[in-house]
């Protein structure tokens, strides 16, 4: 289903549809894993657009209100995964890496091409990051041989993310890291990057 240009996917997709779809899909997948999924959690867009990204985050879950929020200025290919990630928090998945895994699992099991592609693209970006750190030559080879459509989407996300930069990259990372650690997530922001490991464990189970 991937072409050399997936920009048409940027045509308006109803947020209410994405939220309802993510809720039902997260609930179904967690039910199959034996989790309690009672309730009707919400994940809303947090305005003004760009505020959360200026704070260095794409989304956030507020346990005091029982709601998750994502930045409405996110790239269209990032929204479905981020929405499913925050919805996973609403159902009690507190660890960031595990919430990433649930969001990926939702996409992997979904018949919706937008959610499916968003999840696989997010996983691939984490894998590219790990490859860049461990083997620069292999990283360059992967990029050279990459399908033009996927390469265009990665470049589109990169350009989009540069439009709104955090007020301070260092301060954003530090504050988010401290916040997560005080909430019991021992690895802090590094926990996000556990997605490839968790997917590998899932596929090898």
């Amino acid at each position: 289903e991937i072409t050399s240009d997936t920009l048409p996917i940027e045509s308006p997709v109803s947020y209410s549809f994405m939220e309802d779809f993510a809720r039902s899909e997260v609930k179904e997948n967690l039910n199959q894993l034996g989790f309690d999924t009672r309730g009707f959690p919400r994940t809303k867009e947090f305005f003004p657009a760009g505020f959360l990204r200026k704070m260095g985050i794409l989304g956030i879950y507020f346990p005091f209100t029982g709601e998750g929020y994502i930045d409405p200025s996110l790239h269209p290919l990032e929204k479905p995964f981020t929405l499913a990630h925050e919805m996973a928090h609403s159902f009690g998945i507190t660890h960031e890496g595990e919430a990433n895994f649930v969001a990926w699992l939702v996409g992997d099991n979904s018949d919706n091409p937008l959610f499916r592609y968003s999840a696989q693209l997010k996983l691939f970006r984490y894998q590219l990051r790990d490859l860049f750190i461990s083997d620069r030559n292999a990283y360059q080879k992967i990029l050279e041989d990459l399908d033009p459509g996927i390469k265009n989407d990665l470049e589109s996300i990169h350009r989009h993310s540069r439009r709104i930069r955090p007020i301070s990259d260092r301060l954003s990372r530090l504050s988010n890291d401290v916040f997560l650690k005080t909430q019991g997530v021992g690895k802090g922001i590094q926990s996000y990057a556990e997605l490839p490991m968790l997917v590998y464990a899932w596929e090898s189970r």
Side-chain angles (χ1 to χ4, degrees):
E1 298 177 44
I2 297 173
T3 67
S4 60
D5 182 5
T6 59
L7 289 182
I9 210 167
E10 295 194 20
S11 59
V13 178
S14 165
Y15 183 82
S16 61
F17 164 79
M18 283 201 298
E19 185 199 15
D20 289 341
F21 187 82
R23 183 188 301 108
S24 63
E25 295 283 287
V26 171
K27 179 175 290 193
E28 180 179 342
N29 280 272
L30 288 180
N31 275 335
Q32 293 178 4
L33 294 175
F35 285 86
D36 186 341
T37 58
R38 286 173 291 182
F40 191 81
R42 298 294 311 274
T43 297
K44 301 176 180 177
E45 292 182 294
F46 190 95
F47 290 92
F51 178 81
L52 290 180
R53 288 171 61 192
K54 284 184 179 294
M55 296 298 105
I57 55 179
L58 306 184
I60 189 170
Y61 175 73
F62 288 155
F64 305 110
T65 62
E67 293 182 337
Y69 300 90
I70 70 169
D71 197 309
S73 70
L74 282 175
H75 191 284
L77 291 176
E78 290 189 289
K79 277 189 179 181
F81 182 90
T82 307
L83 207 166
H85 172 104
E86 299 304 332
M87 192 66 75
H89 284 321
S90 297
F91 282 115
I93 308 300
T94 57
H95 189 279
E96 297 297 343
E98 292 171 6
N100 265 353
F101 171 72
V102 170
W104 172 83
L105 190 63
V106 164
D108 189 55
N109 290 334
S110 179
D111 292 328
N112 183 292
L114 177 57
F115 273 77
R116 189 173 183 85
Y117 186 52
S118 178
Q120 301 297 2
L121 200 60
K122 187 70 169 184
L123 171 62
F124 186 53
R125 290 170 65 197
Y126 275 113
Q127 291 171 320
L128 282 177
R129 173 185 172 274
D130 291 344
L131 187 60
F132 178 80
I133 294 171
S134 63
D135 191 334
R136 295 286 181 89
N137 291 331
Y139 172 83
Q140 291 297 333
K141 185 68 167 58
I142 286 287
L143 290 186
E144 290 170 6
D145 297 339
L146 198 59
D147 179 275
I150 300 175
K151 186 182 295 186
N152 288 343
D153 289 337
L154 292 175
E155 291 175 353
S156 177
I157 291 172
H158 184 63
R159 287 195 306 270
H160 190 83
S161 67
R162 286 186 299 179
R163 294 178 190 170
I164 301 178
R165 302 301 300 270
I167 296 173
S168 168
D169 284 325
R170 183 176 180 278
L171 182 60
S172 296
R173 287 195 300 270
L174 181 61
S175 60
N176 196 17
D177 190 58
V178 170
F179 172 76
L180 291 175
K181 288 178 178 176
T182 59
Q183 299 303 308
V185 181
K187 291 188 177 180
I189 58 175
Q190 292 300 319
S191 60
Y192 288 97
E194 294 180 7
L195 178 61
M197 176 189 70
L198 293 172
V199 171
Y200 179 78
W202 176 258
E203 296 289 358
S204 304
R205 73 194 187 287

